[in-house]
Amino acid sequence: MRILLIHSDYLEYEVKDKALKKPEEISENQKKGRLDEVLAVFMSVEKVDEQNPEEIVEKAVKEIEEVVSQVKTNNIFVYPFAHLSSELGSPDVALRILKEIENELKNKGYNVRRAPFGYYKAFKLSCKGHPLAELSRTIVPGEAKKEEEVPEALKKEEELVSYWYILTPEGELVEVDKFDFSGYENLKKFANYEINKSRVVTEEPPHVKIMLEQELVDYEEGSDPGNLRYYPKGRLIKSLLENYVTEKLIEYGAMEVETPIMYDFEHPALEKYLNRFPARQYVVKSGDKRFFLRFAACFGQFLIKKDATISYRHLPLRMYELTRYSFRREKRGELSGLRRLRAFTMPDMHTVAKNLQQAMEEFKKQYKLSMEVLKGVGLTPKDYEVAIRFTEDFWNENKDFIVDLTRIIGKPVLIEMWKQRFFYFILKFEFNFVDNLDKAAALSTVQIDVENSQRFGITYYDEEGQEKYPLLLHCSPSGAIERVMYAILEKQAKLMKKGKKPMYPPWLSPIQVRVIPVSEKYLDYALYIAGKLEGAKIRADVDDRNERLNKKIREAEKEWIPYIIVVGENEKRMGVITVRKREDNKQYEIHVEDLIKEIKQKTEGFPYKPRPLPPLVSMRPKFRG
RNA sequence: GCCCCGGUAGCCUAGCCUGGUGGGGCGGCGGACUUGUAAUCCGCAGGCCGCGGGUUCAAAUCCCGCCCGGGGCUCCA
């Protein structure tokens, strides 16, 4: 049975002519009908339904009831509609089934009308047009199969079956439910999240509280949800992360480019690509034209590559852009703090590879690169879980290659295998962070794309001068920058739960050293010390407020400042400083030069930006009370 | 879109169930204190209790509608 459900302001019909030789007998008042605020249920009974009409009735009623409760109406219009199927059942069985559905629904207390069977009817209908207003269902005997009115791509995705395994570094491939997760609790959480995806939590994620309290990031009611506001400290952290990932990729050999953030809906190559995905774009109207805001850097880079003349000698060719921003209009209820946004910053590198062999070599290198990039922001393999996804064919031909990936990470990984390729890629990995609410979020990812070079017309010339389609690798070695911030903060929240002091990686700490004079009298010495630190490119400030020392210490601690210097009579006389170190909670009396050396050593190799706020704490506004 | 929770001063929060002129803390401002490693004391200012409607002699409180935020569902390039 096929059902089309339309939530409507009203549905009215009028009987015209007979459509069958022997239509249903009807009375005069059945020739016209109307219901307002109604769920219109158009139905076609199919041949297979004859195998088990009772079951079909039961399932159909259940489906209808479910939709009725979702759209919150009590009015149902059962409407025989042959055009939904090309394999109709016989009219008498069909009529019987429809009548039974009608009666069942009436018995359950709904206000039901049914249009007569076997006539040509004129009808008017006013669809409400909200997302649930138009649904379709297919019901078959035996096993109820659901089908929603969704883009072709999503339908295919639904049919796509995933086989889940755990692969150990020893090369053992174990079905997920047979794997012994003891010692791998985090992997278990991740696997569970990936496979079941159902969660019952009603908490604010800990990183949200931190980002607000620390005045890093805030919601912006003046924008669309999922578009955030960054205060100076948050902007500094984000900016340093952006620079860090960019530098890493350039060092790796990528060419940095910049491409537009909006694209023409009508562009042929883009159109095809876009059609694979449900409508999640921001749309910008300009005159008569419609543009969508990019949801990744693929478009811009592919369009550059399409026009470039590329020789096999240039391969692998790596191109990179940091998208500030990529836009995805995620559903309202899906947005969450820094974890999932509608506007986010995505480092996105695309590599043109000659053939599968070169693509795989690059894949492995970028896998290692991703590990290194995450390590730099304080995330080690202990902090994330690996998922590797591929087609069955790829696995059969490249087992050793995959096993080697698990050896590199040194722990079991989650495997998702597909019988056939549906996505544009044949192989993909992600590093996923599992947070305090047991939710997983993908950070690093690399994919081998076998489809888009054709779609975009990207070619290279091989040794014989032949024009060939290359493979493309998509790589984000860190994942979205906002999500890296999320992972850093969630990791600290985990530590706090265990009673440990939270800390930023030293190079990311917005203020690295706070200097506190014991009283006004020593402000000059405090400024002198801060000046020395700043001269060495260390972000230092001075708490010159007229407050108690204890209070200033407390506030510096609450800001997670790694080094707190207190100076007074002793220090000034001896030309030293007293440092309170966050990492061990101890105090040391040392020379400022030694502190500089220590901090420089800890931040070596990472980007630097100057202090994001005025040097004197007394000169700073409160951004959020 | 649907479901749940919330919206009280710049921030956090009590009061709402059981209607009777909104209370505290932080922050801000003024003053005293001149500080040695996680919150000094005193005072002052600051509110269309999200918006609109209804019930009532009387609404932050009860009812209806809307807006905004958070979480969940579905989904996720």
Side-chain angles (χ1 to χ4, degrees):
Chain A
M1 164 176 282
R2 302 254 172 180
I3 312 179
L4 175 66
L5 302 120
I6 297 189
H7 188 208
S8 308
D9 297 314
Y10 67 88
L11 167 64
E12 59 180 31
Y13 74 88
E14 189 181 344
V15 169
K16 298 289 186 187
D17 292 315
K18 282 193 220 175
L20 296 174
K21 280 183 192 129
K22 281 194 304 174
E24 178 186 8
E25 287 196 23
I26 52 167
S27 60
E28 198 58 31
N29 66 359
Q30 280 178 283
K31 285 191 176 167
K32 276 186 182 177
R34 174 181 168 116
L35 271 183
D36 288 292
E37 288 302 315
V38 64
L39 181 72
V41 185
F42 295 92
M43 318 183 95
S44 293
V45 176
E46 299 184 281
K47 224 168 201 87
V48 283
D49 300 341
E50 295 176 18
Q51 290 168 17
N52 194 345
E54 291 73 27
E55 193 192 345
I56 291 295
V57 169
E58 190 191 316
K59 283 179 177 173
V61 167
K62 207 176 135 213
E63 287 289 352
I64 293 167
E65 276 199 290
E66 205 178 300
V67 176
V68 157
S69 74
Q70 280 175 336
V71 301
K72 288 189 163 171
T73 179
N74 195 43
N75 301 329
I76 300 171
F77 216 131
V78 175
Y79 200 106
F81 199 69
H83 318 290
L84 295 173
S85 173
S86 51
E87 289 178 319
L88 288 171
S90 67
D92 48 345
V93 178
L95 180 56
R96 210 179 87 214
I97 288 179
L98 290 176
K99 279 183 170 170
E100 276 196 40
I101 288 173
E102 179 190 8
N103 286 334
E104 279 293 323
L105 289 169
K106 275 184 181 160
N107 290 341
K108 286 176 182 281
Y110 296 103
N111 179 25
V112 188
R113 282 212 67 146
R114 183 174 61 80
F117 187 87
Y119 296 88
Y120 292 113
K121 299 174 287 285
F123 73 88
K124 280 190 191 166
L125 155 98
S126 166
C127 174
K128 287 186 178 288
H130 60 75
L132 284 175
E134 301 170 65
L135 298 170
S136 79
R137 296 279 189 272
T138 301
I139 295 168
V140 291
E143 199 189 332
K145 217 172 81 186
K146 279 191 184 179
E147 204 178 336
E148 284 200 10
E149 199 55 64
V150 288
E152 206 52 36
L154 268 191
K155 271 191 204 164
K156 268 167 89 182
E157 191 172 346
E158 272 172 18
E159 287 161 16
L160 188 77
V161 188
S162 293
Y163 298 86
W164 299 95
Y165 302 93
I166 301 292
L167 180 63
T168 68
E170 291 74 40
E172 249 188 297
L173 189 70
V174 187
E175 281 170 48
V176 145
D177 33 352
K178 295 193 180 133
F179 185 76
D180 177 11
F181 280 101
S182 38
Y184 303 106
E185 280 68 27
N186 211 45
L187 178 62
K188 186 179 181 178
K189 285 178 185 173
F190 172 57
N192 187 44
Y193 180 81
E194 279 295 307
I195 298 164
N196 301 321
K197 297 208 168 179
S198 81
R199 236 81 297 248
V200 194
V201 212
T202 39
E203 278 175 73
E204 183 180 55
H207 80 273
V208 170
K209 200 177 172 199
I210 297 171
M211 80 186 197
L212 296 174
E213 271 176 7
Q214 300 266 330
E215 295 195 330
L216 304 177
V217 190
D218 207 338
Y219 298 107
E220 177 52 75
E221 289 188 30
S223 182
D224 195 41
N227 288 255
L228 302 183
R229 164 203 286 186
Y230 289 78
Y231 298 120
K233 288 197 280 178
R235 175 61 205 145
L236 176 93
I237 291 174
K238 182 160 179 273
S239 174
L240 285 169
L241 288 169
E242 289 168 0
N243 292 350
Y244 168 69
V245 177
T246 300
E247 283 172 22
K248 280 283 183 190
L249 283 174
I250 290 173
E251 189 183 294
Y252 179 72
M255 300 178 269
E256 188 178 5
V257 297
E258 182 170 326
T259 63
I261 65 162
M262 65 176 85
Y263 293 89
D264 191 342
F265 264 104
E266 310 297 326
H267 189 286
L270 301 179
E271 206 178 5
K272 275 190 231 156
Y273 193 35
L274 212 52
N275 281 343
R276 276 201 92 127
F277 303 109
R280 288 277 169 82
Q281 301 82 330
Y282 274 108
V283 178
V284 176
K285 268 189 173 170
S286 174
D288 291 339
K289 287 202 135 193
R290 285 169 74 237
F291 299 89
F292 65 91
L293 297 182
R294 66 176 173 198
F295 43 81
C298 307
F299 315 102
Q301 292 184 24
F302 289 169
L303 293 172
I304 291 178
K305 285 173 172 162
K306 169 179 76 80
D307 292 335
T309 305
I310 302 171
S311 152
Y312 72 94
R313 288 182 232 271
H314 304 145
L315 307 183
L317 184 152
R318 309 179 186 104
M319 197 172 278
Y320 163 76
E321 179 172 8
L322 181 78
T323 65
R324 199 164 96 206
Y325 292 107
S326 284
F327 296 91
R328 296 182 193 177
R329 234 184 68 87
E330 304 289 6
K331 288 187 187 168
R332 186 64 190 75
E334 269 308 296
L335 303 171
S336 164
L338 287 165
R339 178 172 176 268
R340 170 154 293 190
L341 296 162
R342 283 185 174 170
F344 56 94
T345 308
M346 189 76 167
D348 208 352
M349 175 171 74
H350 294 93
T351 305
V352 183
K354 193 158 45 178
N355 48 32
L356 185 59
Q357 190 205 334
Q358 189 173 62
M360 283 164 65
E361 278 166 22
E362 272 297 303
F363 187 92
K364 192 175 282 180
K365 278 191 198 167
Q366 293 178 11
Y367 183 88
K368 290 179 184 165
L369 173 72
S370 299
M371 287 174 69
E372 194 190 318
V373 167
L374 289 189
K375 195 171 148 208
V377 303
L379 299 171
T380 65
K382 277 186 204 157
D383 297 312
Y384 52 84
E385 297 302 331
V386 182
I388 306 177
R389 306 171 203 253
F390 40 73
T391 57
E392 194 173 30
D393 289 349
F394 188 88
W395 167 250
N396 288 332
E397 286 153 34
N398 303 286
K399 280 185 193 172
D400 291 347
F401 177 81
I402 302 288
V403 172
D404 198 35
L405 296 177
T406 70
R407 258 185 242 126
I408 293 168
I409 201 83
K411 60 178 191 173
V413 309
L414 180 70
I415 298 292
E416 183 177 14
M417 201 188 302
W418 300 293
K419 286 274 177 214
Q420 70 276 324
R421 179 172 71 83
F422 159 72
F423 299 102
Y424 56 78
F425 53 85
I426 51 170
L427 172 66
K428 168 190 193 186
F429 85 81
E430 308 127 37
F431 295 155
N432 293 273
F433 185 84
V434 180
D435 69 19
N436 289 278
L437 308 180
D438 292 352
K439 289 170 159 299
L443 298 170
S444 320
T445 180
V446 178
Q447 301 151 14
I448 298 181
D449 176 346
V450 296
E451 207 173 279
N452 279 305
S453 58
Q454 280 100 321
R455 177 169 291 134
F456 281 82
I458 299 168
T459 58
Y460 74 97
Y461 293 93
D462 71 4
E463 292 86 335
E464 273 91 49
Q466 297 292 313
E467 204 171 1
K468 290 248 173 86
Y469 289 119
L471 296 180
L472 299 168
L473 285 92
H474 302 240
C475 167
S476 186
S478 64
I481 300 294
E482 293 82 355
R483 203 170 258 190
V484 173
M485 294 173 72
Y486 145 85
I488 291 172
L489 296 182
E490 285 285 332
K491 178 178 175 178
Q492 294 312 311
K494 279 189 188 178
L495 293 176
M496 279 196 271
K497 269 194 199 164
K498 291 183 192 157
K500 292 196 181 137
K501 275 192 179 185
M503 290 185 81
Y504 297 107
W507 66 280
L508 283 174
S509 193
I511 299 296
Q512 293 164 319
V513 184
R514 168 146 309 157
V515 188
I516 305 178
V518 145
S519 77
E520 266 174 44
K521 252 172 86 182
Y522 307 102
L523 181 58
D524 57 345
Y525 187 63
L527 289 169
Y528 164 76
I529 295 295
K532 278 207 143 186
L533 290 160
E534 296 244 292
K537 297 201 166 182
I538 290 167
R539 290 181 291 273
D541 61 9
V542 176
D543 192 344
D544 61 325
R545 294 171 307 164
N546 186 16
E547 294 289 352
R548 251 59 190 178
L549 175 65
N550 278 335
K551 181 168 185 173
K552 294 183 187 179
I553 299 270
R554 178 181 153 81
E555 293 192 359
E557 291 281 357
K558 282 178 72 180
E559 279 188 64
W560 304 4
I561 294 172
Y563 299 96
I564 302 169
I565 297 177
V566 175
V567 292
E569 181 58 33
N570 298 339
E571 289 80 5
K572 188 173 179 178
R573 187 157 32 84
M574 307 288 288
V576 293
I577 53 173
T578 304
V579 187
R580 176 179 162 127
K581 279 197 212 177
R582 188 171 182 80
E583 62 180 356
D584 61 8
N585 228 7
K586 287 185 185 148
Q587 289 170 41
Y588 302 88
E589 195 171 286
I590 55 171
H591 290 281
V592 69
E593 288 74 19
D594 294 329
L595 180 64
I596 290 174
K597 214 178 287 173
E598 178 177 332
I599 296 174
K600 292 315 270 185
Q601 186 224 319
K602 284 189 178 170
T603 55
E604 199 191 339
F606 292 102
Y608 163 80
K609 286 196 92 175
R611 173 176 29 73
L613 290 159
L616 297 177
V617 173
S618 69
M619 295 297 287
R620 295 174 192 174
K622 290 255 178 317
F623 287 103
R624 56 181 333 272

